């Protein structure tokens, strides 16, 4: 979990602004003043949780069994939609391990993780029941690459239960046997901005939310 030291660091910055007469509304327009502190305090803690190895003898929570090699695009699409939409694996860590190579790597804008670490870390870091997830559009298959767009509100299992919105594109790469060998997230938001939004939500300044529908 993110340490109390990291949270205290963020709260100290908030208190400093208050002493200087900066209102909560002013915090929103002064993101530059807390980006560096928020990012330096929170990012290493988030990375540590996501990259933590699974306990010895454990599979990290992913389903273990024979690998589903040689799936057609249609078959892979149906399987992935269950994980993405029904299981909401990006906020719960509940994915089908048989679709991935044992050596598959998962990369977001913060770090790179192996399969057991991604599954275990996602479940430890995010509160799936309080997180929201949207698949935007359809899955796109082109050669060995699968892409889809997502929009999510992540609820973190840390003090104050802060939430932060992240949107972007996921790119999956399949090997010659059809198994997924690489998972890569491309965020629309920068890492510092995402961490600042997390902090602002946690202290009640600006609630994380999806954009208003047009």
């Amino acid at each position: 979990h993110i340490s109390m030291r990291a949270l205290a660091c963020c709260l100290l910055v908030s208190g400093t602004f208050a002493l200087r007469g900066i209102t909560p509304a002013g915090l929103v327009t002064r993101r530059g003043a807390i980006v560096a502190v928020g990012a330096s305090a929170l990012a290493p803690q988030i990375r540590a949780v996501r990259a933590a190895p699974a306990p010895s003898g454990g599979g990290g929570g992913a389903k273990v069994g024979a690998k589903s090699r040689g799936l057609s695009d249609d078959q892979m699409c149906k399987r992935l939609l269950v994980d993405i939409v029904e299981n909401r694996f990006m906020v719960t860590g509940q994915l089908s391990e048989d679709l991935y190579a044992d050596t598959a790597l998962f990369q977001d804008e913060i770090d790179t993780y192996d399969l057991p670490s991604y599954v275990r870390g996602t479940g430890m870091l995010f509160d799936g029941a309080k997180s929201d997830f949207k698949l935007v559009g359809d899955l796109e298959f082109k050669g060995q690459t699968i892409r889809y767009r997502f929009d999510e509100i992540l609820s973190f299992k840390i003090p104050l239960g802060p939430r932060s919105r992240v949107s972007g594109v996921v790119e999956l790469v399949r090997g010659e046997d059809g198994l997924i060998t690489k998972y890569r997230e491309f965020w629309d938001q920068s890492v510092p901005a995402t961490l600042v939004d997390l902090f602002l939500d946690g202290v009640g300044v600006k609630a994380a939310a999806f954009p208003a529908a047009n």
Side-chain angles (χ1 to χ4, degrees), residues 6-18 20 22-44 190-206:
L7 181 63
C9 183
C10 291
L11 292 177
L12 177 61
V13 174
S14 177
T16 300
F17 285 154
R20 293 180 180 177
I22 298 176
T23 64
L27 274 174
V28 178
T29 61
R30 289 170 171 77
R31 287 189 177 186
I34 58 177
V35 163
V37 174
S40 62
L42 294 176
S190 68
V191 173
T194 300
L195 294 174
V196 168
D197 286 344
L198 179 67
F199 163 64
L200 294 177
D201 181 277
V203 297
V205 172
K206 179 186 176 184

Side-chain angles (χ1 to χ4, degrees), residues 4-129:
M4 289 301 296
R5 180 179 297 179
L7 181 63
C9 183
C10 291
L11 292 177
L12 177 61
V13 174
S14 177
T16 300
F17 285 154
L19 289 174
R20 293 180 180 177
I22 298 176
T23 64
L27 274 174
V28 178
T29 61
R30 289 170 171 77
R31 287 189 177 186
I34 58 177
V35 163
V37 174
S40 62
L42 294 176
Q45 305 293 335
I46 292 174
R47 183 183 298 113
V49 173
R50 291 294 292 270
S56 58
K63 290 170 280 188
V64 180
K67 298 294 183 178
S68 296
R69 296 180 171 85
L71 295 183
S72 66
D73 287 354
D74 286 343
Q75 291 172 324
M76 177 62 81
C77 184
K78 291 178 180 178
R79 291 291 309 280
L80 285 175
L81 284 175
V82 172
D83 279 354
I84 296 170
V85 179
E86 296 183 22
N87 296 338
R88 303 186 309 142
F89 83 92
M90 290 181 66
V91 298
T92 65
Q94 298 175 9
L95 55 73
S96 301
E97 185 179 346
D98 63 294
L99 299 180
Y100 297 81
D102 288 335
T103 55
L105 294 178
F106 292 69
Q107 183 179 359
D108 58 21
E109 299 290 5
I110 294 179
D111 210 340
T112 301
Y113 324 90
D114 60 19
L115 176 56
S117 296
Y118 175 86
V119 170
R120 178 171 177 268
T122 299
M124 289 179 60
L125 189 60
F126 306 131
D127 187 332

Side-chain angles (χ1 to χ4, degrees), residues 139-157:
L139 274 62
E140 300 176 2
F141 286 74
K142 186 176 182 180
Q144 300 296 97
T145 302
I146 307 168
R147 290 169 60 91
Y148 65 87
R149 174 162 282 279
F150 69 92
D151 199 349
E152 59 190 2
I153 304 291
L154 299 171
S155 178
F156 287 73
K157 292 180 179 178

